[in-house]
């Protein structure tokens, strides 16, 4: 197998991991509320269960990223993190009590923190001009999982049998189903994932070792060096190196110094461009989760949507987002990431303005439904633009040697937004002017920034 095939298989494997995370969310979410009711849990346990997953991922993301930065290996990090996914979903399957169910989501969320290592890997093994397109494809895989997940629930809800001492029914079956899928993923990762190219630091410069199959000599290419101050950054492999060196066999780290020895958090994250991108990450996810929280009560209040209508709506939304990611994948090769980000923020601002004008004071059911569809369409249209471009830009303005930790911080900021967004919207479904007004203010602020 040549290096180009190894590279493609590795990217496909990472796409599978993102898809599994989407499937897990889609099969757990529809049943967890009823599952908690059977276990006699109070209503607030639903929020605790959903927040626990985000919280543990928020805390462990930088740690997994730091591990991959130090070891320069991603495969072992992913294999280790998936153990938490397997254990967490098995605990969800057992479900003896509401506290065990809460712990199960907390444990599974630890495994979700490995996303920082994956984005770090993608940054180190892609050229800057192709990076946004690859990020878009990975995000589309997760959306595909969200779209496919409900289809699995069609047969999982029919389960009604015993597995030893454990009952397998429509509430417990998502846990054992995801447990088995993550176990299968472990085998796929073992045979179809290769680590990034060897990078080492020598004599004040970061070097990349190219390993040719039939060449006995090593060619060392200095990428960064400075007489005044050592700046530990390096770019991804160039286009002519991709097929010959990107996925050579993993070698131990042989650097003369620790790759993150001189890393400064304040110097790295308190720069203007980094602060702007982290703020964009927070605001867009805060607004997105707030709107997701708002949608179901609104459809029930104004249109009397039931479970089937809501499922159909979410499926159509998923299709739009997937198509949006592939459009951004194409667009990213034509225009700069900054332009894509600006376009996405303008679309999101337009969505908020539309909702403020037409949704806060409906003039009639038919007009309101049309206005609602347009508002949701615009919001989802802007999401892929913002999501892909800000991740790609963030990978370019932060040091690649500490990309794992940096991506972990970025994902933690996003995790905090996904916790606070529903809390903000949950209490304001009857005061849309305040909720949407604040969201529009935040969007305009980050667009100007």
């Amino acid at each position: 197998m040549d290096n180009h095939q190894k590279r493609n298989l590795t990217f496909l494997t990472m796409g599978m991991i993102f898809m599994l995370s989407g499937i897990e969310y889609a099969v757990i979410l529809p049943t967890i509320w009823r599952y908690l009711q059977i276990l006699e849990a109070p209503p607030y346990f639903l929020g605790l269960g959903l927040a626990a997953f985000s919280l543990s991922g928020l805390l462990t993301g930088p740690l997994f990223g730091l591990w991959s930065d130090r070891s320069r290996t991603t495969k072992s990090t992913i294999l280790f993190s998936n153990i938490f996914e397997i254990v967490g979903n098995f605990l969800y399957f057992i479900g003896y009590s509401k506290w065990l169910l809460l712990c199960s989501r907390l444990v599974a969320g630890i495994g979700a923190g490995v996303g920082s290592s994956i984005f770090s890997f993608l940054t180190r093994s892609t050229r800057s001009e192709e990076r946004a397109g690859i990020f878009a494809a990975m995000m589309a895989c997760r959306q595909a999982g969200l779209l496919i997940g409900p289809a699995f629930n069609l047969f999982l809800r029919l389960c009604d049998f015993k597995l030893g001492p454990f009952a397998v029914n429509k509430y417990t079956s998502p846990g054992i189903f995801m447990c088995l899928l993550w176990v299968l993923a472990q085998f796929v990762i073992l045979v179809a994932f290769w680590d990034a190219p060897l990078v080492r630091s020598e004599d004040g410069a970061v070097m990349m070792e190219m390993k040719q199959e039939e060449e006995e000599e090593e060619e060392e290419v200095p990428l960064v060096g400075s007489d005044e101050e050592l700046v530990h950054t390096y770019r991804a492999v160039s286009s002519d190196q991709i097929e010959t060196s990107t996925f050579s066999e993993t070698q131990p780290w042989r650097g003369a110094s620790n790759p993150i020895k001189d890393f400064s958090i304040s110097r790295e994250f308190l720069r203007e461009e980094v602060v702007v991108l982290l703020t964009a990450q927070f605001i867009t996810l805060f607004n997105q989760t707030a709107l997701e929280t708002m949608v179901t009560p609104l459809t029930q209040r104004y249109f009397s949507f039931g479970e089937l209508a809501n499922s159909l709506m979410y499926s159509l939304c998923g299709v739009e987002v997937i198509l949006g990611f592939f459009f951004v994948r194409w667009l990213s090769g034509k225009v700069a990431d900054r332009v894509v980000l600006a376009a996405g923020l303008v679309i999101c601002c337009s969505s908020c303005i539309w909702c403020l004008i037409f949704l806060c004071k409906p003039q009639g059911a038919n007009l309101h439904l049309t206005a609602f569809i347009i508002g949701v369409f615009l919001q989802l249209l802007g999401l892929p633009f913002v999501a892909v471009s800000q991740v790609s830009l963030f990978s370019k303005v932060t040091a690649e040697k500490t990309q794992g930790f940096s991506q972990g911080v970025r994902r933690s900021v996003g995790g905090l937004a996904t916790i606070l967004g529903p809390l903000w919207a949950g209490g304001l479904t009857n005061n849309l002017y305040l909720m949407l007004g604040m969201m529009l203010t935040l969007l305009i602020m980050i667009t100007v920034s």
Side-chain angles (χ1 to χ4, degrees):
M1 186 182 298
D2 61 30
N3 292 315
H4 183 69
Q5 290 174 315
K6 290 180 179 180
R7 182 174 188 259
N8 289 340
L9 279 175
T10 299
F11 285 170
L12 286 173
T13 302
M14 286 188 288
M16 174 204 69
I17 294 170
F18 279 104
M19 182 177 289
L20 285 181
S21 68
I23 292 174
E24 179 176 352
Y25 184 86
V27 298
I28 295 289
L29 188 63
T31 57
I32 187 172
W33 171 231
R34 181 59 184 152
Y35 196 0
L36 285 167
Q37 287 180 318
I38 292 174
L39 296 173
E40 299 180 349
Y44 64 83
F45 257 75
L46 175 61
L48 287 178
L50 297 178
F53 186 88
S54 298
L55 180 63
S56 55
L58 179 156
L59 296 174
T60 57
L63 298 179
F64 279 123
L66 194 61
W67 179 6
S68 61
D69 286 338
R70 287 181 178 275
S71 65
R72 292 299 180 194
T73 59
T74 306
K75 184 174 183 175
S76 58
T77 310
I78 297 175
L79 289 170
F80 178 74
S81 69
N82 282 353
I83 295 174
F84 291 96
E85 289 280 10
I86 293 168
V87 173
N89 280 289
F90 187 74
L91 292 175
Y92 186 90
F93 163 65
I94 296 174
Y96 280 125
S97 72
K98 59 190 178 187
W99 294 106
L100 185 61
L101 203 66
L102 181 61
C103 289
S104 74
R105 301 313 296 152
L106 196 66
V107 172
I110 295 175
V114 80
S116 57
S117 297
I118 295 177
F119 278 111
S120 168
F121 176 92
L122 290 171
T123 299
R124 284 194 283 259
S125 58
T126 57
R127 290 174 285 122
S128 60
E129 58 267 27
E130 69 176 348
R131 194 172 301 158
I134 292 175
F135 284 164
M138 295 300 162
M139 294 178 183
C141 287
R142 187 178 189 278
Q143 289 297 322
L146 291 171
L147 197 61
I148 295 170
F152 289 115
N153 273 331
L154 293 177
F155 74 84
L156 290 176
R157 67 185 180 86
L158 301 176
C159 294
D160 188 15
F161 59 90
K162 285 276 189 177
L163 189 65
F166 308 116
V168 182
N169 52 48
K170 62 181 179 180
Y171 304 117
T172 62
S173 57
I176 192 64
F177 175 71
M178 288 310 308
C179 180
L180 292 174
L181 285 185
W182 284 113
V183 169
L184 291 175
Q186 292 287 76
F187 290 104
V188 175
I189 294 166
L190 283 171
V191 300
F193 190 103
W194 285 266
D195 271 308
L198 172 65
V199 178
R200 66 179 183 174
S201 175
E202 283 186 9
D203 301 327
V206 176
M207 315 294 292
M208 179 170 290
E209 181 180 276
M210 296 173 57
K211 189 173 182 180
Q212 307 280 354
E213 288 185 2
E214 297 182 357
E215 291 184 5
E216 296 180 356
E217 295 182 357
E218 295 178 352
E219 180 182 359
E220 296 183 348
V221 185
L223 298 180
V224 175
S226 174
D227 294 330
E228 299 179 1
E229 180 182 7
L230 176 60
V231 181
H232 285 288
T233 59
Y234 58 84
R235 63 175 178 82
V237 289
S238 59
S239 57
D240 58 336
Q241 291 173 316
I242 287 288
E243 294 195 11
T244 58
S245 67
T246 301
F247 287 85
S248 54
E249 294 299 321
T250 304
Q251 301 292 332
W253 176 263
R254 299 188 309 183
S257 63
N258 191 302
I260 61 173
K261 180 179 65 176
D262 297 331
F263 177 69
S264 169
I265 291 179
S266 60
R267 188 172 59 191
E268 183 73 2
F269 295 117
L270 295 184
R271 290 181 288 120
E272 183 178 287
E273 62 273 22
V274 177
V275 171
V276 168
L277 289 172
L278 288 176
T279 306
Q281 166 86 349
F282 179 87
I283 291 175
T284 51
L285 282 177
F286 178 88
N287 286 1
Q288 183 67 27
T289 52
L291 287 172
E292 287 175 358
T293 304
M294 175 191 76
V295 162
T296 304
L298 282 183
T299 57
Q300 183 180 26
R301 182 190 309 164
Y302 292 114
F303 316 123
S304 301
F305 278 11
E307 291 182 359
L308 180 60
N310 278 326
S311 297
L312 179 61
M313 178 185 66
Y314 281 117
S315 296
L316 292 174
C317 290
V319 171
E320 182 192 351
V321 172
I322 291 173
L323 293 176
F325 276 121
F326 281 107
F327 176 73
V328 172
R329 176 181 169 84
W330 169 81
L331 185 65
S332 63
K334 310 293 182 183
V335 299
D337 290 340
R338 182 181 173 183
V339 176
V340 178
L341 177 59
L345 289 171
V346 169
I347 294 172
C348 290
C349 287
S350 302
S351 171
C352 270
I353 293 172
W354 178 274
C355 292
L356 274 168
I357 295 173
F358 293 104
L359 295 187
C360 293
K361 279 193 175 180
Q363 301 299 316
N366 291 332
L367 177 62
H368 191 260
L369 178 59
T370 304
F372 176 79
I373 292 172
I374 294 174
V376 171
F377 174 81
L378 288 174
Q379 176 64 28
L380 294 175
L381 181 64
L383 178 62
F385 286 78
V386 176
V388 173
S389 57
Q390 61 93 5
V391 178
S392 179
L393 281 169
F394 188 80
S395 72
K396 295 171 184 176
V397 300
T398 52
E400 292 188 13
K401 66 182 177 60
T402 54
Q403 195 64 200
F405 181 76
S406 297
Q407 291 290 345
V409 170
R410 182 191 64 80
R411 287 173 61 87
S412 292
V413 170
L416 182 62
T418 60
I419 294 173
L420 296 179
L423 293 176
W424 167 258
L428 293 173
T429 53
N430 293 321
N431 195 342
L432 296 183
Y433 276 120
L434 178 58
M435 185 179 77
L436 292 170
M438 177 59 73
M439 292 164 58
L440 179 60
T441 302
L442 292 173
L443 278 171
I444 292 174
M445 181 188 74
I446 193 60
T447 302
V448 173
S449 298

